Amino acid sequence: MKLFPYAHATHPQWRMAAALVLAQLRAQMALPDFAASPSLAVLYITDHYAEEAPAILEHLSAELPEVTDWAGTVGVGVAANNVEYFDEPALCVMLCDLAPHQYRVFSGVAPLSASGRATGGEGFVAHTALVHADGATPELAELIAEMADRTRSGYVFGGLALSRGRSVQFSMGSAGHLGGQGAASGVFHGGLSGVAFGPDVGLVSRVTQGAQPVDQERTVTASDGNLVLMLDDEPALDVLLRERDISLDQPERAMPRLRATLVGLTPPSPSGEDALRVPRMRGQFGAEVLVRHLIGLDPGRRGVAIADMAPVGTRLTFCERNVQAARADLVRVCAEVREELEPEEVSLAVATSLAANDVDARPHPARRIAGAIYVSCSGRGGLHFGSPSAELQTVRRALGDVPLVGFFAGGEIAHHQLYGYTGVLTVFTMP
């Protein structure tokens, strides 16, 4: 395995952006440390190009005939190493140096079976998968969990397509499509698609949270669907108003605070574990916490409506978006990945190369990262981290100079769940 060629560009005309991307890819494919003839491509476009998605895929696949399999989707922004293109016309591509028997592209017309095999994938069993999904798909959370169950690891990663126009996904595999079901263009609308990876593909994935607790953790002791009625046997609305210092008699002051308040949910623990847990106080969420919106108040029942189900036993913490906490957690997960992969000792020449300044630095095999995919919440993009591209610059400083692409999503997928306000960083490791 060699480094994955990757490229990114912005231009009002997609053909000009594609030409810039192709020039970068071909230049990298000519370098000794980069793959010369990879067969799998990951393609992300911003929604400015969504109407031209079929033409973009047709053009790129014709210009890169060695690439036989394509996967990807659309976002309100796309990301690459050290830069993001948010709310502007752009695209990015990464070519993965994986043998055809190590992966399978799947979609609605070439699905991944319950045994983890894709159409035409006899002998292949999925260990994990990159998943792209349409947020309007019915019972999406259940479909994501079902997809995770079709992998040996039970872990999938990716995100929801996000577009102010057409919501598209790319999925074109060398194994072909199911006969008579069309969609031969490789551009799809609705459902799930992506790439399943076999056990020989090395992957390390982490979730970084973007919200911080502002109150202690409590247990849901009464609920009705997505309406939380009681927290620790106290009316949930009373807890919210008291702890967030909100008065419904002052709506001008109450509404901004309510809009800024989110909830962090942790599923009920297995029987017997609740007695051992320590209540969560102000600090940092772990990957087990799902952040959701408040969607309403019920003064009559003294309840709080949230954008998810909260069965009795769910642990709930009021929280809010926090830039400093999000940046610190992003640095933490990048450092964990580096610590897991980088050798303790390297030669002087390699150490000098890895320590080069930003101008001279280049992706290096010694990092053992062939490529990376970063899916971030659309609420984290743009100026949320302080300046344009600040989030991706944080990743670059913390992870090092590695081939990386990604997109800004309408929801992030990791483990077997759908997250919000998070970033999902996944790296392909070199042997």
Side-chain angles (χ1 to χ4, degrees), residues 359-370:
V359 176
D360 298 326
R362 294 289 185 274
H364 199 288
R367 290 193 176 93
R368 293 191 56 219
I369 298 176

Side-chain angles (χ1 to χ4, degrees), residues 74-78 84 86-87 160-164 293 321 375-385 391 407-412 419-423:
V74 61
V76 292
V78 297
E84 67 185 41
F86 198 84
D87 195 21
L160 306 188
L162 184 59
S163 174
R164 288 159 291 194
H293 287 286
R321 296 167 63 189
V375 180
S376 185
C377 177
S378 59
R380 294 162 59 106
L383 298 177
H384 177 65
F385 276 76
E391 182 177 8
F407 72 105
F408 290 90
E412 304 77 63
Y419 287 80
Y421 297 105
T422 63

Side-chain angles (χ1 to χ4, degrees), residues 2-351:
K2 292 190 175 183
L3 295 172
F4 295 176
Y6 77 107
H8 49 94
T10 177
H11 197 278
Q13 300 178 23
W14 72 262
R15 288 186 179 276
M16 292 299 296
L20 294 168
V21 163
L22 289 167
Q24 296 171 55
L25 292 174
R26 287 165 178 154
Q28 291 180 17
M29 292 164 72
L31 298 174
D33 286 337
F34 283 83
S37 57
S39 60
L40 171 65
V42 177
L43 165 63
Y44 296 124
I45 63 173
T46 63
D47 57 354
H48 295 74
Y49 293 154
E51 294 295 329
E52 304 295 336
I56 292 172
L57 181 58
E58 181 181 5
H59 177 72
L60 291 175
S61 60
E63 291 292 325
L64 296 167
E66 61 270 66
V67 179
T68 58
D69 302 272
W70 292 78
T73 191
V74 61
V76 292
V78 297
N81 181 19
N82 212 39
V83 65
E84 67 185 41
Y85 301 97
F86 198 84
D87 195 21
E88 61 180 313
L91 62 90
C92 61
V93 178
M94 186 166 68
L95 307 182
C96 305
D97 185 27
L98 301 174
H101 71 273
Q102 294 179 318
Y103 66 87
R104 290 293 183 273
V105 174
F106 64 87
S107 66
V109 298
L112 197 67
S113 71
S115 63
R117 293 179 169 85
T119 302
E122 293 77 6
F124 172 84
V125 177
H127 183 71
T128 186
L130 167 63
V131 177
H132 305 122
D134 188 326
T137 302
E139 300 180 345
L140 180 58
E142 290 79 4
L143 290 176
I144 292 171
E146 180 184 344
M147 179 62 66
D149 288 340
R150 297 184 182 190
T151 67
R152 284 184 173 178
S153 67
Y155 186 102
V156 295
F157 61 96
L160 306 188
L162 184 59
S163 174
R164 288 159 291 194
R166 300 180 74 191
S167 180
V168 299
Q169 299 172 52
F170 300 105
S171 181
M172 187 166 67
S174 55
H177 305 285
L178 293 182
Q181 297 203 24
S185 70
V187 178
F188 295 84
H189 310 278
L192 277 63
S193 67
V195 186
F197 300 101
D200 294 334
V201 179
L203 290 165
V204 176
S205 188
R206 294 288 188 275
V207 177
T208 176
Q209 294 279 10
Q212 184 178 46
V214 294
D215 185 29
Q216 72 178 37
E217 184 179 73
R218 292 177 169 83
T219 300
V220 176
T221 49
S223 66
D224 182 6
N226 65 344
L227 183 65
V228 179
L229 296 172
M230 304 288 284
L231 292 172
D232 288 345
D233 297 320
E234 183 179 359
L237 180 57
D238 295 350
V239 175
L240 170 64
L241 298 180
R242 182 185 68 244
E243 298 301 332
R244 298 296 285 148
D245 190 22
I246 296 172
S247 172
L248 298 183
D249 295 329
Q250 300 175 320
E252 297 83 0
R253 180 176 180 271
M255 290 309 297
R257 290 189 65 80
L258 286 171
R259 291 193 185 102
T261 302
L262 307 167
V263 294
L265 303 176
T266 306
S269 299
S271 178
E273 290 187 11
D274 281 338
L276 302 177
R277 68 177 176 85
V278 178
R280 187 188 308 280
M281 299 298 290
R282 189 182 297 265
Q284 184 63 42
F285 283 144
E288 77 283 358
V289 177
L290 306 178
V291 177
R292 296 292 187 259
H293 287 286
L294 294 179
I295 59 174
L297 306 178
D298 187 340
R301 302 177 70 183
R302 308 305 293 172
V304 177
I306 62 176
D308 206 336
M309 298 298 176
V312 171
T314 300
R315 287 168 280 161
L316 184 149
T317 311
F318 294 113
C319 58
E320 61 185 10
R321 296 167 63 189
N322 184 285
V323 174
Q324 289 74 26
R327 185 181 295 111
D329 198 53
L330 181 56
V331 171
R332 177 188 63 81
V333 299
C334 291
E336 286 182 1
V337 171
R338 288 189 63 167
E339 184 176 355
E340 183 169 340
L341 296 179
E342 288 188 357
E344 295 182 3
E345 296 182 2
V346 296
S347 67
L348 178 60
V350 170

